[in-house]
Amino acid sequence: MAENFEQHSDVSAADLARLTQEAQAEATPSTAKIIWSEFKADKPAMAALFIIVGFILFVMIGALFINTPKMMETNIMGYFNQPFTPEYWLGADSGGRSVAKQLIVGSRNSIGIAIGLTLISSTFGICWGLISGYFNGYIDWGMQRVYDFMMMLPMTMMIIVLVTIIPHYNSVTLTLIFSIFYWEGTSRLIRSRTLAESEKDYVAASRTSGTSHWKIIFREIMPNISSLIIVDCTLSFAENIGVETGLSYLGFGLPSQTPSLGTMIANANDPNNITQYWWTWLPAALEIIILCLSISYVGQVLRRAADASQRQGAAD
Amino acid sequence: MSLVEIKDLKVHYPIRTGFWNRITDSVRAVDGITFNIEAGETYGLVGESGSGKSTTGKSVVGLEKVTSGSIMYKGVDITSKANRNKLDYNQDVQMIFQDSLSSLNPRKRIEDIIAEPLRNFEHLSKDDEKLRVLQLLDIVGLDADALYKYPHQFSGGQRQRIGVARAVATNPKLIIADEPVSALDLSVQAQVLNFMKKIQREFGISYLFISHDLGVVRHMCNNIAIMNRGRLVEIGTREDIYNHPLHIYTKRLLAAIPETNVNQRAAHRASRLAVEKIYQEQQSKYYDDKGEAFPLIQVSPTHSVALPENIAKQLASQEGEVQA
């Protein structure tokens, strides 16, 4: 069979290296290069990227040097200490605990939960949506009924009940509990695009080329809806920071001895704190706003990089 | 023995209605068609939009679930998926799609697109595979530069040639060409068609050429089947169809070919109107009570038409055709 092609083409094995080189010279840049040039074209997004990466690294590493149980001990001498003093950079709360240290450990906990939750729930939701949308028919029907059932459950109440039932929970179990409920929106979104995408001819072409269903789903369709996936992941990451925060604020999130952004914002429950002791809750609130904004900037750049028609970066 | 024998092929889609979503009726996209594709020939399948020709093509390549009937290849009925897998059927039967842009994955480089069937069926080494892709690009007249580019960087004609390269990559015996040039402008159409013919000569491939453009079909095909409302209304050689059309639907299609000679504009218009008038007035003669085509009747060794026997004979003698 190979001879058949050789007969009708001038290209032979001898030309392989030369032609490969020629082709590489003309090659379209790789995805990483495209993303980088997009960042270079969008200065605020570049700043946002550095803020996120820098901040996450800072809290992850910084938290290692902080002895949490000791930090969470009540120190009556530091009761609502003013901020910007040598011992308490950002002041102290009603227990005399350093707000700055709590902020570092709390951010690590909250961001860790958000990253874990986004990874687990988005992966599961994307797979669920892709499989449901691609196979269609009875499989889709069954999977969507499971989805409907999950949607029907009152999410916040279930989480609160689960948190109360499980005796010794920490950030890992909390992440897993959240993950049970947070894949749904993603899965429906991905399914709708997959339904449209799997009707396209390139999927039919892959099938006639003998490619297996799984390969078509994850190697053909998934890259084509990657811009949607990226946008959804960044948005749900920003949202997931809020999920833990919200629940901790209500008092059902992490245990009180584990600081998190939510427990810090919960300081704002007290009108006294809101008016007089602003340093107990304001840093955490500002941090969440800045992080979420930065994430959405970065998400926009990733989306533009994934979609050739929206690019702003240099052509090559 | 023919390469592919299609026998009484039916593809029906259920229509579900009512509260219980029960099947109350069906759309008969393809309703009992029978024809054979010989090795090395181009078989034309012609009809208007919605006549079921693409569905037929997709059934032959295995993309459409067949309701009933059989498609025999190497003595095996390939309407069942297990049989297709056993034979590596798609190594021998490939498809060229109408829309060249949507048939190429926009997120994959040309090398990966063309190598896809090779990776699944032939398992070549990396260098052999790249060499084969380069040879294929050369055969369809594209430079090696194309290797690492994406589909959107090419023009329509180039993309369709990439589609052709992918289809011939595994050296198939039959290629289903589903309106391969109808999305291209005329000069590019000729270019792509000539590449297809060249490849056919060199590799001995058969085509099932699906089109509504009778000019293109005349250029490409030895045997032609005319399809209307899910059924075949006329089968014959190029000569039979173009010079001795019997069914009114074939005549209408032929009358609809644009005439470029302006001096005969009036005459052409008159003949077109005459055919249309016969079609309007004599529906009952050419179609049965339900408006469907009759079963095919053979009027010569190569020529069959879907008409009642007496009318077929009468028309055939009028056209001066040799009786079977």
Side-chain angles (χ1 to χ4, degrees):
Chain A
M1 182 134 63
E3 303 84 63
N4 207 343
F5 284 95
E6 234 132 87
Q7 260 170 33
H8 300 294
S9 164
D10 301 329
V11 179
S12 66
D15 305 320
L16 188 60
R18 180 178 58 82
L19 288 174
T20 309
Q21 212 166 25
E22 267 176 40
Q24 253 147 12
E26 291 287 321
T28 319
S30 69
T31 324
K33 267 190 194 155
I34 291 169
I35 291 177
W36 185 239
S37 76
E38 271 313 304
F39 270 116
K40 278 201 288 195
D42 190 347
K43 296 291 176 226
M46 183 79 111
L49 180 72
F50 280 115
I51 290 175
I52 295 174
V53 174
F55 187 78
I56 290 179
L57 283 178
F58 172 69
V59 296
M60 292 289 169
I61 296 168
L64 295 177
F65 296 101
I66 294 171
N67 184 350
T68 313
K70 187 163 178 291
M71 177 192 83
M72 294 308 286
E73 277 168 15
T74 309
N75 174 12
I76 206 77
M77 298 307 288
Y79 175 78
F80 284 128
N81 205 318
Q82 290 283 330
F84 314 121
T85 55
E87 205 184 338
Y88 299 102
W89 308 324
L90 289 174
D93 62 6
S94 58
R97 297 178 286 241
S98 164
V99 171
K101 284 182 184 171
Q102 279 193 67
L103 199 61
I104 291 173
V105 178
S107 300
R108 199 245 344 239
N109 289 340
S110 291
I111 291 173
I113 289 176
I115 291 177
L117 176 55
T118 311
L119 275 180
I120 298 173
S121 67
S122 291
T123 309
F124 189 75
I126 289 165
C127 292
W128 193 270
L130 279 169
I131 293 167
S132 179
Y134 176 78
F135 286 109
N136 223 331
Y138 289 115
I139 294 179
D140 183 42
W141 190 88
M143 290 176 85
Q144 289 313 305
R145 293 301 78 77
V146 173
Y147 163 87
D148 289 343
F149 175 75
M150 293 298 289
M151 281 302 278
M152 183 203 76
L153 299 174
M155 187 164 61
T156 316
M157 198 196 85
M158 295 279 291
I159 291 174
I160 290 172
V161 169
L162 283 173
V163 165
T164 327
I165 292 172
I166 297 174
H168 299 292
Y169 72 97
N170 52 21
S171 41
V172 177
T173 42
L174 195 68
T175 311
L176 292 175
I177 293 169
F178 285 144
S179 311
I180 300 172
F181 298 98
Y182 277 87
W183 56 272
E184 294 154 359
T186 309
S187 91
R188 199 60 169 245
L189 185 73
I190 299 296
R191 171 181 172 267
S192 67
R193 268 295 290 278
T194 310
L195 280 175
E197 207 67 26
S198 43
E199 291 299 311
K200 289 197 178 159
D201 279 345
Y202 72 83
V203 176
S206 278
R207 279 165 62 190
T208 60
S209 300
T211 309
S212 69
H213 288 311
W214 299 110
K215 234 176 164 178
I216 292 177
I217 291 174
F218 292 107
R219 300 291 293 278
E220 308 272 330
I221 294 177
M222 199 166 81
N224 275 293
I225 57 173
S226 59
S227 60
L228 185 73
I229 291 177
I230 289 166
V231 172
D232 185 65
C233 281
T234 47
L235 284 181
S236 52
F237 179 59
E239 186 196 320
N240 289 342
I241 293 179
V243 168
E244 184 276 329
T245 314
L247 215 62
S248 298
Y249 178 85
L250 289 177
F252 295 103
L254 287 168
S256 56
Q257 282 310 300
T258 316
S260 79
L261 293 178
T263 54
M264 298 193 69
I265 289 178
N267 284 330
N269 268 337
D270 185 346
N272 245 1
N273 284 356
I274 293 183
T275 49
Q276 281 182 287
Y277 309 119
W278 52 266
W279 58 86
T280 52
W281 54 271
L282 193 63
L286 282 179
E287 187 200 316
I288 289 175
I289 292 171
I290 292 171
L291 265 187
C292 289
L293 268 181
S294 303
I295 290 165
S296 75
Y297 267 107
V298 171
Q300 274 179 25
V301 166
L302 293 178
R303 194 199 64 222
R304 284 207 300 272
D307 183 350
S309 60
Q310 297 181 7
R311 276 181 207 151
Q312 296 177 347
D316 48 348
Chain B
M1 198 180 81
S2 307
L3 181 68
V4 173
E5 295 172 2
I6 298 160
K7 197 152 180 275
D8 202 26
L9 180 75
K10 288 184 182 167
V11 180
H12 294 182
Y13 300 110
I15 300 173
R16 293 169 184 275
T17 49
F19 183 73
W20 298 108
N21 225 5
R22 273 182 305 202
I23 300 168
T24 49
D25 201 356
S26 56
V27 177
R28 291 188 274 279
V30 178
D31 197 19
I33 64 168
T34 304
F35 64 93
N36 298 334
I37 303 169
E38 307 295 331
E41 72 155 19
T42 306
Y43 199 95
L45 193 57
V46 185
E48 63 190 1
S49 307
S51 58
K53 48 194 199 310
S54 286
T55 311
T56 308
K58 283 185 174 160
S59 313
V60 174
V61 82
L63 284 172
E64 200 74 53
K65 209 168 171 296
V66 172
T67 310
S68 71
S70 67
I71 302 170
M72 302 300 281
Y73 174 76
K74 285 186 180 170
V76 180
D77 184 3
I78 57 87
T79 52
S80 100
K81 196 169 179 201
N83 285 345
R84 282 203 298 274
N85 290 344
K86 221 182 301 167
L87 273 179
D88 264 351
Y89 177 67
N90 282 122
Q91 186 169 7
D92 288 347
V93 179
Q94 277 286 333
M95 184 153 179
I96 302 171
F97 293 85
Q98 173 178 9
D99 183 349
S100 60
L101 185 58
S102 88
S103 73
L104 304 175
N105 189 338
R107 303 305 299 272
K108 281 168 78 179
R109 295 175 192 267
I110 301 304
E111 186 197 12
D112 299 320
I113 289 173
I114 297 180
E116 190 180 351
L118 294 173
R119 285 172 191 164
N120 289 320
F121 293 121
E122 296 200 7
H123 312 291
L124 302 169
S125 75
K126 267 220 141 61
D127 278 355
D128 283 350
E129 182 189 287
K130 191 176 276 177
L131 181 64
R132 179 76 71 84
V133 172
L134 284 167
Q135 285 171 343
L136 284 162
L137 284 173
D138 184 51
I139 288 168
V140 296
L142 289 169
D143 286 337
D145 298 354
L147 210 54
Y148 298 120
K149 286 186 176 162
Y150 288 95
H152 70 262
Q153 292 170 297
F154 295 89
S155 70
Q158 287 173 322
R159 277 200 292 266
Q160 197 55 287
R161 284 187 272 155
I162 292 167
V164 173
R166 171 174 61 188
V168 293
T170 52
N171 207 353
K173 306 227 168 29
L174 171 66
I175 291 180
I176 316 293
D178 187 0
E179 309 204 23
V181 293
S182 50
L184 306 173
D185 65 66
L186 283 174
S187 58
V188 181
Q189 279 194 6
Q191 198 187 27
V192 172
L193 290 174
N194 288 334
F195 269 114
M196 287 177 67
K197 279 196 123 171
K198 177 184 150 209
I199 288 163
Q200 179 170 45
R201 275 197 306 277
E202 289 172 357
F203 297 98
I205 295 169
S206 309
Y207 287 121
L208 174 60
F209 195 89
I210 298 168
S211 181
H212 55 250
D213 186 337
L214 282 161
V216 168
V217 170
R218 186 178 211 163
H219 176 70
M220 292 293 290
C221 305
N222 322 91
N223 288 304
I224 296 166
I226 309 284
M227 211 169 164
N228 183 210
R229 300 177 195 169
R231 293 191 177 177
L232 294 179
V233 293
E234 197 159 357
I235 294 181
T237 59
R238 177 164 37 187
E239 170 79 1
D240 292 330
I241 298 288
Y242 282 88
N243 298 337
H244 310 290
L246 294 179
H247 200 277
I248 188 64
Y249 184 70
T250 316
K251 288 179 183 166
R252 285 181 81 207
L253 282 179
L254 289 170
I257 300 177
E259 180 67 57
T260 46
N261 190 344
V262 278
N263 295 328
Q264 288 172 7
R265 188 193 282 155
H268 189 67
R269 184 180 151 80
S271 73
R272 202 166 63 230
L273 288 175
V275 169
E276 190 59 26
K277 196 165 167 230
I278 297 174
Y279 174 73
Q280 295 295 349
E281 288 172 359
Q282 303 185 10
Q283 287 266 7
S284 59
K285 190 170 145 191
Y286 289 99
Y287 295 97
D288 66 13
D289 314 335
K290 284 185 279 180
E292 286 168 347
F294 292 104
L296 285 170
I297 296 287
Q298 200 169 42
V299 292
S300 84
T302 55
H303 197 174
S304 302
V305 65
L307 286 175
E309 200 153 352
N310 52 342
I311 301 174
K313 290 251 158 64
Q314 181 199 337
L315 282 173
S317 60
Q318 272 174 20
E319 288 279 347
E321 200 163 357
V322 191
Q323 293 290 313

